[in-house]
Amino acid sequence: MSRYLTPAKIGLLSVVSLYADSVVPTAATIPVLSFIMSYLLPPKGLTSRAEFSDAGDTTAIPIEDFQRATIKHASGIPGRTLWDLLLKKLWEINSFDAMHVFFDSLSLLLPKPQEEQQRESDYQGLRRMQFSRTSPFGTFIRRAQLEFARLQLHDGITLWKNFVTYRSTTLSMWRRRNPGIGKLSFDTNLTDGQLGKNELLFAILYGDLDDGDHAEVTVSTDDLEKLLEFQRDPSGVRITENMRKRLTQMALAGVTVPSLLHYVKFLDSWKSGDYPSSFDSLHRYFDYTMHNRDRTFYQYALLNLAILQKDFGCFSEAIAAIHETIATARENKDMGCLNYSLSWLYHFSKSYPDRLNEIRESGVLGTDKEALSFLKTKAKESGMWSLLSTSLLSDAKVALTNGESLAFAFESITKATHLNLVKRLTAGFGSEMGMQSALFNRLGVSYLAWAYNELFLECYGVYSPADDVLYAICRGVTALALKGRYEDALRRMDEIGGDILRTLKLQQFWTSHMSVLKLRRSLFRNELSAAESFLSQLRTNRQPDQELALVVRLLEINLHMRRQDHTKAMDILDKDAKEFHEHGADVFQQIKLMVLKARIYNKAGIPQKGFSVAIRAASLAYKARLLPALWDAIGALCKVLISLKEFEAATRLMESIMPQVLECEDCELAATSFSCLADAHMGLAGQMNAGSLKRKEHLVKASGYLDRSFDDMSRLGDVKGQCEMMAKKATIMHLNGDCVLASDYAAKYLDIQKAAKEEAV
């Protein structure tokens, strides 16, 4: 099979020739040109592999597409449509010799050099439209002529026989205009009597056509390479079933399969979790590459090997492979591969901090700031704008992780945004807008965080890698869960497309996030057995995302606290705190653990220890401007103050932060804060004289705050919290002397418990 030419391309050349003959009317010019260019130019409008697979007729154009594009347009010849003229041009190629004449005649569509124009007097007499040699049409014609001239005799005959098969479906339409046409009219040598059907030469040339055994090949090696180039993007999803069938059919049809097919198989096996097949395909691809291009691509083989080993949990092998990649890239002076490898190693060290010592022993990376400064400098020098954008976002992330200046973080994100827009780095919008969403979340501006997340999914999701889309959806689901909208969150997780979940890494992340969502809901519903089951599932898999790993550990501690096993909860917390400290944990993670530690001390009856821990957590959150964590730390501090009978101070603190707490749109934080305020007012009421106006005022305020807390806990489905609020309401009603209402609240307490047990069953 030829490298470039196919019967469909001969059809396109025929349409171009018709356009040059000036028989296309003005009204049909744009539709005809659009039809031709849609197959000559790369499909920029396609945004996913599914669309490319469905619209993949760019490689094999059925003859019916030509008919649909031309039959509805009249031509410059009265009584004839463009389809009639195209049919005539196709059937005029009635022999292998006529095909040579057709390709030779394409030279008339291109202008000749000035010297030849002056030598040939008849050149000025041509009135046919001509195309610039560098135009899309001119380039297509010159490439087609060159490839046809390069064809060996066998390949040329194969192309001719494929063209005969391709055109044969139009025989009945061509016969309507030419009644004398027969079944053997595809070759003029057969109709002129020069070659009989029973002769040996006919059997050799057209025997398989006559018997129906000829397998038509409608694609070329060039078409297959274009399909493979589209599939080689490692940040996308796996090959669809339709695309896999098409590639298999092309390979079986006799198309010369490029070595790139092995790389596509490697990507597909890698994403499906098939380690042996991916390893084998990677070696096959780079064996061909090394054979053809010596050691030019050796560093890329090592880079892919490092990525593969990392994704399958072989971290020591991955570090060894990436170190060899860096050394080889330096030896070959491949700055692009070197910079990318250093960036990959930096992000690997941040994702797996337990391997940090092993990485730093090599001396390749210095401190975070030194590594990022080096990467930014080299990215600017080599024009690797995608790497520069990633490094700027990493700068912002380091600033947030260490609790440094928010202004610097905003500056770095703004620079990355500007770079993405100016350089049209559409693949970088996911990371950039995700970082903006995380920053606003840490500032307690939940609405802006939600808006940035949804804006990315709505406007840029179709242009972004599948992992960025999945992470954005999970961020939105987490926001819904914080608002108590668990049904909406679960429905949104279930709506995630099947193409994304066909990749093993993304499917594991989706499974972990879904388990965390169900674990959180089970804890609120007081279904501790179900929560233990979800927790055991999460323990079996190492969480690739550090934030998700922290959430799992916090929920595990919460489970033990709900079981009143404070000793076990404290042991787990101390172990996690020590591990995070050794690996340089995020300041947000440190604050979360400190706040939880203060609450455990308070519940265990040691509020004095909890006081110092809560003060340190609040101070650290204030310096880092982590406002939701600050409100949480102040809430824990107020709980300690209430235990120490400092009700007035607790009331002042809580009332000063309540507007900001409500802005966070976190039902659990709001419910805990309202409950704390109610406890503080109850304490103040206890210090007043019985029957005094101040006592009643504090009791009324406490009752109102309990109602607000109960509403938020109802949204979360927190059974234990709702029962606690009802018990406190019954106590207030009893103190007010209203025994009827006290009995009602007590009955409601029992109803909530009964409903929870029935729902659990």
Side-chain angles (χ1 to χ4, degrees), residues 307-552:
I307 297 172
L308 177 67
Q309 300 282 21
K310 187 266 291 184
D311 277 0
F312 285 97
C314 306
F315 300 125
S316 299
E317 291 82 354
I319 294 172
I322 200 66
H323 283 158
E324 191 173 351
T325 303
I326 293 170
T328 308
R330 283 174 175 164
E331 180 185 341
N332 294 338
K333 297 181 180 180
D334 188 343
M335 296 307 299
C337 182
L338 175 62
N339 294 338
Y340 184 85
S341 302
L342 291 172
S343 176
W344 185 90
L345 183 61
Y346 169 78
H347 287 95
F348 176 84
S349 68
K350 304 306 290 184
S351 299
Y352 302 96
D354 53 327
R355 298 282 174 171
L356 193 59
N357 293 332
E358 189 176 351
I359 295 172
R360 286 181 174 172
E361 285 177 359
S362 64
V364 175
L365 293 178
T367 63
D368 290 345
K369 292 186 178 179
E370 290 173 350
L372 290 174
S373 177
F374 175 80
L375 288 174
K376 286 189 292 184
T377 303
K378 293 301 180 181
K380 288 179 182 177
E381 290 177 357
S382 55
M384 298 178 66
W385 306 119
S386 179
L387 176 61
L388 179 58
S389 174
T390 304
S391 301
L392 289 169
L393 292 177
S394 298
D395 260 343
K397 189 171 184 179
V398 168
L400 293 177
T401 300
N402 298 333
E404 298 173 359
S405 170
L406 287 179
F408 177 75
F410 270 115
E411 179 185 355
S412 299
I413 293 174
T414 304
K415 287 180 179 178
T417 305
H418 175 74
L419 190 63
N420 290 341
L421 291 172
V422 171
K423 302 299 180 181
R424 300 181 182 275
L425 305 176
T426 54
F429 283 126
S431 302
E432 173 253 314
M433 300 188 79
M435 184 64 68
Q436 284 183 322
S437 178
L439 181 54
F440 283 118
N441 251 331
R442 292 197 169 199
L443 288 174
V445 191
S446 300
Y447 178 77
L448 274 179
W450 172 268
Y452 269 100
N453 198 61
E454 295 303 305
L455 182 65
F456 163 70
L457 291 174
E458 186 68 26
C459 300
Y460 304 107
V462 293
Y463 308 110
S464 302
D467 51 353
D468 284 346
V469 174
L470 179 61
Y471 297 157
I473 293 174
C474 290
R475 284 194 299 269
V477 165
T478 301
L480 290 174
L482 291 177
K483 297 175 184 178
R485 297 167 56 184
Y486 281 96
E487 296 302 326
D488 293 339
L490 291 172
R491 182 168 58 253
R492 194 166 186 182
M493 290 290 285
D494 290 333
E495 290 174 352
I496 294 177
D499 285 343
I500 294 178
L501 299 184
R502 291 177 67 243
T503 301
L504 178 64
K505 180 182 177 182
L506 301 184
Q507 200 271 342
Q508 289 176 339
F509 183 84
W510 178 88
T511 303
S512 298
H513 208 87
M514 181 70 89
S515 298
V516 166
L517 200 62
K518 293 180 179 180
L519 170 59
R520 194 193 300 269
R521 188 172 65 166
S522 297
L523 286 175
F524 282 133
R525 291 180 172 181
N526 211 31
E527 299 170 357
L528 301 185
S529 298
E532 182 66 41
S533 175
F534 288 124
L535 191 60
S536 63
Q537 292 177 15
L538 290 165
R539 286 199 198 102
T540 56
N541 296 324
R542 180 191 177 101
Q543 305 305 323
D545 185 66
Q546 293 298 311
E547 293 184 7
L548 194 61
L550 174 67
V551 171
V552 173

Side-chain angles (χ1 to χ4, degrees), residues 647-648 651 655 677-689 692-706 732 736:
F647 304 116
E648 184 66 31
T651 303
E655 287 180 345
L677 260 176
D679 291 344
H681 279 286
M682 282 293 292
L684 290 173
Q687 294 176 348
M688 303 298 169
N689 295 325
S692 65
L693 186 62
K694 282 287 186 180
R695 179 187 175 94
K696 290 183 179 179
E697 182 181 338
H698 285 302
L699 288 175
V700 170
K701 286 185 177 179
S703 179
Y705 290 134
L706 287 174
I732 292 175
N736 285 335

Side-chain angles (χ1 to χ4, degrees), residues 142-399:
R142 289 190 296 115
R143 174 78 185 275
Q145 285 187 307
L146 177 63
E147 293 293 342
F148 186 76
R150 285 178 172 177
L151 284 180
Q152 299 292 327
L153 177 62
H154 172 74
D155 293 332
I157 294 175
T158 303
L159 175 63
W160 161 246
K161 292 164 71 173
N162 287 331
F163 176 71
V164 169
T165 306
Y166 181 77
R167 185 186 57 183
S168 62
T169 56
T170 63
L171 178 61
S172 59
M173 291 177 276
W174 177 238
R175 190 179 291 171
R176 293 173 192 169
R177 295 287 184 182
N178 302 271
I181 296 299
K183 289 185 177 181
L184 301 180
S185 298
F186 60 85
D187 190 338
T188 186
N189 296 301
L190 300 178
T191 55
D192 292 345
Q194 300 179 15
L195 183 64
K197 186 175 181 180
N198 297 323
E199 295 186 18
L200 180 61
L201 184 57
F202 177 87
I204 294 173
L205 289 176
Y206 300 120
D208 52 352
L209 290 179
D210 192 44
D211 298 336
D213 296 333
H214 178 69
E216 181 191 2
V217 180
T218 58
V219 293
S220 62
T221 304
D222 181 74
D223 296 328
L224 183 57
E225 286 179 351
K226 288 179 181 178
L227 284 177
L228 295 176
E229 284 291 341
F230 187 82
Q231 299 293 333
R232 72 182 296 179
D233 178 18
S235 61
V237 297
R238 289 179 60 196
I239 302 175
T240 62
E241 290 298 327
N242 289 338
M243 182 60 70
R244 184 180 287 105
K245 289 178 182 178
R246 292 184 59 204
L247 291 174
T248 304
Q249 289 171 356
M250 292 176 189
L252 294 176
V255 180
T256 303
V257 179
S259 62
L260 188 60
L261 182 60
H262 296 298
Y263 189 73
V264 174
K265 287 182 178 179
F266 152 68
L267 292 177
D268 191 56
S269 301
W270 165 35
K271 293 168 189 174
S272 67
D274 188 353
Y275 179 78
S277 297
S278 58
F279 200 80
D280 181 63
S281 297
L282 182 65
H283 276 277
R284 284 176 180 267
Y285 171 67
F286 283 105
D287 282 347
Y288 282 112
T289 303
M290 294 283 289
H291 177 73
N292 295 329
R293 304 189 185 184
D294 199 17
R295 291 177 59 88
T296 309
F297 280 177
Y298 181 53
Q299 60 268 27
Y300 293 101
L302 293 169
L303 177 59
N304 281 272
L305 181 61
I307 297 172
L308 177 67
Q309 300 282 21
K310 187 266 291 184
D311 277 0
F312 285 97
C314 306
F315 300 125
S316 299
E317 291 82 354
I319 294 172
I322 200 66
H323 283 158
E324 191 173 351
T325 303
I326 293 170
T328 308
R330 283 174 175 164
E331 180 185 341
N332 294 338
K333 297 181 180 180
D334 188 343
M335 296 307 299
C337 182
L338 175 62
N339 294 338
Y340 184 85
S341 302
L342 291 172
S343 176
W344 185 90
L345 183 61
Y346 169 78
H347 287 95
F348 176 84
S349 68
K350 304 306 290 184
S351 299
Y352 302 96
D354 53 327
R355 298 282 174 171
L356 193 59
N357 293 332
E358 189 176 351
I359 295 172
R360 286 181 174 172
E361 285 177 359
S362 64
V364 175
L365 293 178
T367 63
D368 290 345
K369 292 186 178 179
E370 290 173 350
L372 290 174
S373 177
F374 175 80
L375 288 174
K376 286 189 292 184
T377 303
K378 293 301 180 181
K380 288 179 182 177
E381 290 177 357
S382 55
M384 298 178 66
W385 306 119
S386 179
L387 176 61
L388 179 58
S389 174
T390 304
S391 301
L392 289 169
L393 292 177
S394 298
D395 260 343
K397 189 171 184 179
V398 168

Side-chain angles (χ1 to χ4, degrees), residues 591-604:
I591 295 169
K592 277 290 186 182
L593 292 175
M594 291 169 69
V595 170
L596 200 54
K597 191 172 187 178
R599 293 188 186 278
I600 294 176
Y601 276 135
N602 188 55
K603 284 183 176 292

